[in-house]
Amino acid sequence: MTEDDAERVNPYAGCALDRAAERRRDEAWIADRLADPTTRILPVWRGQNLIQGDDSPVAASVSRADAAAFLPDAPAVAFLGMAGTAAHFAVDLSHLDDPATVLPAPQGAFVELRSVGPLIGHQDGALLAYARGLLHWHGRHRFCGICGSPTVSLEGGHLRRCADAACAAPHHPRTDPAVIMLVSDGDRLLLGRQSDWTAGMYSVLAGFVEPGESLEDAVRREVLEEVGIAVDSVRYHSSQPWPFPASIMLGFTARARATALRIATDELADARWFSRHELRNCPEDERFRLPRRVSIARRLIEDWLAES
């Protein structure tokens, strides 16, 4: 990987908003920002973002005035940050059967972010992923995991605290770390596929990091568990937020110490070694295709292909 490659930002990363974390505890400041007529509201409905445009999709937002109809009843409102002098907030509309009833026209449509990922601009993708991920966390932490009492949102939506004064446990947004690793053997690359993936799609291996485990340990364990081979030369590559629903993908490269595969069929439907020639001539159809271009998996593969 060249110096330019190392500086390249993966899709859904690099959101340009100033998150203004130092202002989140200032409740009056947050309230003023939420009331400001220049504030922009990004609605999220059941994990889907509001998008405008088909061929050239862009993130859709709602003015503070137009959001007045739905803000009071929203189950979660979270401050995202500042773009210049304009605050941006994410608002959950998942309690509504039809969010179109509270949005101004023309409003766009709620869509799964990954379905438009290759077409949407980098900054819009990062902003929408941020909004989606934060509201997903709110939706799954309405009750305290310690005592079961309801939680309340604080610090601009970046903290939930147990409402029971005897408990008052703080709950911070959670991101699940997952390693994703490109395993090579000289001029060959190891790819696998799961049975429920798009027809013909193969990708690099991946798995969640377990408690008490380093990232490098997780890489070695996952490869050994899924295909039965040991790896060494584990090296960090880059990372990517992946709020589908709540992960951070930590990319690595590794070198295989053996090549005979023992596939864990409860994990993978298939795994194979592929040469550079095969991958460079990939048909990208139901016979064989690489992962989505917005994924770090695709970046790992493309960077490896560019090495020679």
Side-chain angles (χ1 to χ4, degrees), residues 21 27 37 43 64 66 72 74 84 88 99-100 128 138 181 183-184 193 197 207 229 232 263 270-271 273 284 306:
E27 294 183 7
R64 176 59 182 83
D66 286 334
H88 286 60
L128 296 178
H138 274 279
M181 43 277 179
V183 178
S184 61
R193 65 170 276 104
W197 285 359
I229 63 172
D232 58 19
I263 301 170
D270 189 26
W273 291 102
E284 296 287 7

Side-chain angles (χ1 to χ4, degrees), residues 4-59:
D4 288 342
D5 288 335
E7 292 298 320
R8 198 171 81 201
V9 179
N10 288 318
Y12 308 132
C15 181
L17 282 185
D18 174 4
R19 298 195 179 209
E22 72 283 358
R23 305 303 301 268
R24 292 173 186 165
R25 295 185 181 180
D26 187 339
E27 294 183 7
W29 186 85
I30 292 291
D32 286 346
R33 299 290 75 68
L34 189 56
D36 192 311
T38 66
T39 286
R40 303 305 300 179
I41 305 295
L42 284 88
V44 178
W45 180 71
R46 300 179 185 179
Q48 298 181 339
N49 296 96
L50 188 62
I51 304 288
Q52 288 182 332
D54 296 324
D55 296 333
S56 300
V58 296

Side-chain angles (χ1 to χ4, degrees), residues 185-304:
D185 170 47
D187 197 47
R188 298 191 305 166
L189 185 62
L190 176 62
L191 300 178
R193 65 170 276 104
Q194 296 181 9
S195 59
D196 58 347
W197 285 359
T198 301
M201 191 177 83
Y202 280 75
S203 184
V204 294
L205 306 183
F208 287 104
V209 181
E210 295 186 351
E213 188 173 50
S214 72
L215 302 179
E216 293 83 358
D217 288 342
V219 168
R220 298 183 188 98
R221 175 185 55 77
E222 283 289 343
V223 177
L224 188 62
E225 288 178 354
E226 294 189 359
V227 294
I229 63 172
V231 298
D232 58 19
S233 300
V234 177
R235 299 288 183 269
Y236 176 73
H237 178 281
S238 63
S239 64
Q240 179 184 39
W242 195 253
F244 308 109
S247 298
I248 175 75
M249 305 303 294
L250 303 154
F252 286 84
T253 60
R255 182 179 61 191
R257 293 175 57 188
T259 58
L261 304 180
R262 187 181 69 253
I263 301 170
T265 55
D266 59 332
E267 295 273 353
L268 299 173
D270 189 26
R272 305 180 199 172
W273 291 102
F274 294 88
S275 69
R276 277 192 169 90
H277 175 77
E278 289 176 293
L279 297 180
R280 285 172 175 157
N281 293 277
C282 172
E284 296 287 7
D285 58 23
E286 66 281 354
R287 293 171 294 159
F288 180 75
R289 70 183 76 210
L290 295 175
R292 295 183 178 96
R293 294 187 182 277
V294 293
S295 68
I296 189 174
R298 183 68 173 239
R299 163 116 188 250
L300 287 167
I301 295 169
E302 290 180 345
D303 283 358
W304 180 82

